[in-house]
Amino acid sequence: MWPLWPLAALLALSQALPFEQKGFWDFTLDDGLPMLNDEEASGADTTSGIPDLDSLPPTYSAMCPFGCHCHLRVVQCSDLGLKAVPKEISPDTTLLDLQNNDISEIRKDDFKGLQHLYALVLVNNKISKIHEKAFSPLRKLQKLYISKNHLVEIPPNLPSSLVELRIHDNRIRKVPKGVFSGLRNMNCIEMGGNPLENSGFEPGAFDGLKLNYLRISEAKLTGIPKDLPETLNELHLDHNKIQAIELEDLLRYSKLYRLGLGHNQIRMIENGSLSFLPTLRELHLDNNKLSRVPAGLPDLKLLQVVYLHTNNITKVGVNDFCPVGFGVKRAYYNGISLFGNPVPYWEVQPATFRCVTDRLAIQFGNYKK
């Protein structure tokens, strides 16, 4: 019964929030740090992604590519050393798993007749070329995982039904205007691990998208991109070369719940720049070059988690985190990390953390020169 696991995993994915990384095939997305499990952050409809298996025609059990495992409309052809997409795939297939093969090209008719396909997994192949009409038959495709390949551009003419695109760890340098045109259902894009610079995003590249989740980590960004979708609830720009956050860098992203800027080179966060994020709940600024706690944190009334570890912070003021006087914080902190900073923690006043749920939520110490 072991071939049942891909479908079970897929159904679990379709119900998961877009920012929860564990459970996906692409385990490289794990940060190793816990995140809040807050369903309203995604804005996603957690029931609409499940394929209605009962409405599909009977399974063509006699059709299964050689060497693959086929069961319950799942075709698993991973780790077979395939050079091309196999033939004789049942037209009622909902999940096609082709990861960990040697496929170098996706041809025009590779997915012909697969009108019920819901998820396509092409992770870790050698794909460098995709025919412009290759995805045309996939009218119900919602999840496309094409990470860890040799693509130099985002595939054209993606299915309008697509909800989730994972295309990280390729060789993409440019995101042209119109490449996401017509993708009204898209809510999650993972495109980290590509050599993208700020100049690689053409003006209007994300026009029309209503994304909840976007990750452009491990790229070559030197600043926060100015033209990303304003609908974002979660934005991850970790492991880049960002050096500063200027006043209006975050003006467009007032709906953010989570902002990931860890592992950059940030030395300065301009006063007032965080005031544009009234709904922010989690802020990652770890592994940067900050010399002080960013101004404006007490005014973020919903902020619950702040990662500031491994910076150059030498002092923590009594009002750096909590509102002054009668200021009200609607959600108390349940995580503040300050370890790996040259802070003499014995000098920090206890009142500094008066709006923290528990003293165990504060992490200090472990600094080495």
Side-chain angles (χ1 to χ4, degrees):
M1 295 294 292
W2 69 269
L4 286 171
W5 74 264
L7 180 60
L10 178 66
L11 294 179
L13 286 179
S14 65
Q15 294 177 313
L17 303 177
F19 47 82
E20 292 289 353
Q21 304 302 345
K22 294 182 179 179
F24 288 104
W25 283 284
D26 299 333
F27 296 106
T28 57
L29 303 179
D30 287 89
D31 288 272
L33 293 171
M35 301 189 74
L36 297 177
N37 186 19
D38 193 349
E39 294 186 5
E40 63 182 335
S42 70
D45 183 347
T46 57
T47 60
S48 62
I50 303 174
D52 185 359
L53 300 181
D54 293 333
S55 67
L56 298 176
T59 304
Y60 295 80
S61 57
M63 298 182 65
C64 188
F66 178 77
C68 301
H69 296 277
C70 305
H71 190 64
L72 292 178
R73 302 183 177 91
V74 173
V75 178
Q76 185 182 4
C77 301
S78 61
D79 302 275
L80 295 176
L82 298 175
K83 303 291 186 182
V85 176
K87 305 297 183 183
E88 297 184 356
I89 298 174
S90 173
D92 68 346
T93 299
T94 57
L95 167 60
L96 177 57
D97 181 4
L98 292 166
Q99 66 181 312
N100 303 330
N101 281 293
D102 295 321
I103 300 170
S104 60
E105 180 180 358
I106 302 299
R107 296 164 297 190
K108 178 181 178 181
D109 295 326
D110 278 349
F111 305 122
K112 185 177 181 180
L114 301 182
Q115 66 269 20
H116 296 294
L117 198 64
Y118 166 80
L120 176 60
V121 184
L122 293 164
V123 176
N124 196 27
N125 276 276
K126 299 177 181 178
I127 300 169
S128 60
K129 184 178 180 181
I130 297 178
H131 193 278
E132 62 179 9
K133 294 185 178 180
F135 297 128
S136 296
L138 308 181
R139 297 171 187 156
K140 295 185 179 180
L141 190 71
Q142 292 194 30
K143 297 178 182 290
L144 176 58
Y145 299 165
I146 196 165
S147 306
K148 298 184 180 179
N149 279 285
H150 300 166
L151 295 174
V152 296
E153 63 180 4
I154 296 173
N157 303 317
L158 293 170
S160 61
S161 56
L162 206 60
V163 173
E164 183 178 333
L165 174 64
R166 296 191 178 266
I167 195 167
H168 62 86
D169 290 295
N170 277 280
R171 301 172 182 178
I172 298 168
R173 296 181 178 273
K174 183 178 179 181
V175 182
K177 182 177 181 179
V179 71
F180 298 122
S181 179
L183 301 180
R184 294 182 297 274
N185 298 309
M186 183 82 78
N187 92 7
C188 172
I189 296 181
E190 156 60 71
M191 57 194 311
N194 285 290
L196 281 163
E197 300 179 0
N198 287 73
S199 59
F201 297 95
E202 288 189 359
F206 293 91
D207 281 358
L209 287 181
K210 296 181 178 180
L211 296 181
N212 292 328
Y213 178 100
L214 177 61
R215 189 175 192 127
I216 316 174
S217 59
E218 299 177 85
K220 296 184 177 181
L221 301 179
T222 55
I224 296 176
K226 302 290 199 301
D227 201 22
L228 304 178
E230 59 185 10
T231 56
L232 284 171
N233 295 144
E234 187 158 353
L235 175 60
H236 292 273
L237 301 173
D238 45 292
H239 291 274
N240 277 286
K241 299 179 180 179
I242 299 171
Q243 299 182 14
I245 300 177
E246 298 180 355
L247 182 59
E248 296 186 355
D249 280 354
L250 300 168
L251 174 63
R252 183 177 173 85
Y253 311 124
S254 62
K255 295 181 174 65
L256 282 179
Y257 279 69
R258 291 178 177 85
L259 175 59
L261 290 166
H263 293 271
N264 275 281
Q265 301 171 16
I266 300 172
R267 296 178 180 272
M268 184 273 295
I269 299 178
E270 191 170 351
N271 288 353
S273 59
L274 297 179
S275 65
F276 299 111
L277 308 176
T279 62
L280 194 68
R281 300 190 179 193
E282 187 167 321
L283 177 61
H284 294 225
L285 285 165
D286 56 284
N287 291 277
N288 278 285
K289 298 182 179 181
L290 295 172
S291 59
R292 64 184 181 93
V293 176
L297 296 184
D299 299 323
L300 300 177
K301 299 185 183 302
L302 295 175
L303 189 63
Q304 298 174 52
V305 174
V306 183
Y307 292 152
L308 288 167
H309 55 270
T310 319
N311 275 280
N312 298 321
I313 298 171
T314 57
K315 182 180 179 181
V316 177
V318 69
N319 296 318
D320 279 352
F321 294 98
C322 302
V324 179
F326 295 102
V328 178
K329 188 165 173 56
R330 290 172 58 188
Y332 275 33
Y333 290 103
N334 55 40
I336 296 177
S337 68
L338 284 161
F339 65 87
N341 283 288
V343 178
Y345 58 87
W346 54 89
E347 295 181 3
V348 178
Q349 299 183 42
T352 301
F353 304 111
R354 59 190 177 274
C355 58
V356 179
T357 55
D358 188 278
R359 63 186 179 85
L360 296 178
I362 307 163
Q363 298 180 354
F364 260 134
N366 299 322
Y367 176 72
K368 295 182 180 180
K369 291 184 179 180

